Amino acid sequence: MPRTTAPQPVRSRIEDNFLLDDAGAFEAYGKTGLIDGEINNVNAQHRPHARIKSRLQVALSNALRGIDSKFEPIDGSTVSTDQL
């Protein structure tokens, strides 16, 4: 572990986030998200946002199918980018 005299952020991994969540560390926050190693309190999605996401997913899915891609869009899932 590097020594420092100034506070430094500690980046979390998805596995760390799962452990903290399972232990109840985020109960008071409602919904959290792990973004670039930082745990963030995030708001629930409302209809306008959900509609745009849905339409974007359909358009992206159609475009990927059109180029015979092996990829598919996934919405609302927890994934580790290490496994992509």
Side-chain angles (χ1 to χ4, degrees):
M1 176 179 293
R3 294 182 185 255
T4 181
T5 58
Q8 299 291 318
V10 175
R11 298 284 180 210
S12 295
R13 302 169 303 144
I14 191 70
E15 297 84 0
D16 303 324
N17 200 54
F18 285 146
L19 288 171
L20 288 166
D21 190 40
D22 290 344
F26 308 130
E27 285 180 5
Y29 296 99
K31 184 175 179 183
T32 59
L34 184 65
I35 303 170
D36 292 331
E38 293 183 0
I39 300 168
N40 296 274
N41 182 15
V42 294
N43 291 329
Q45 295 178 30
H46 297 286
R47 280 189 307 264
H49 180 80
R51 283 188 185 116
I52 290 169
K53 280 181 58 179
S54 176
R55 290 175 186 155
L56 179 59
Q57 184 169 359
V58 169
L60 184 55
S61 181
N62 290 338
L64 290 169
R65 192 176 307 116
I67 61 170
D68 200 26
S69 174
K70 67 177 183 175
F71 297 107
E72 63 179 295
I74 299 175
D75 179 38
S77 299
T78 300
V79 297
S80 171
T81 54
D82 294 340
Q83 298 173 356
L84 295 178

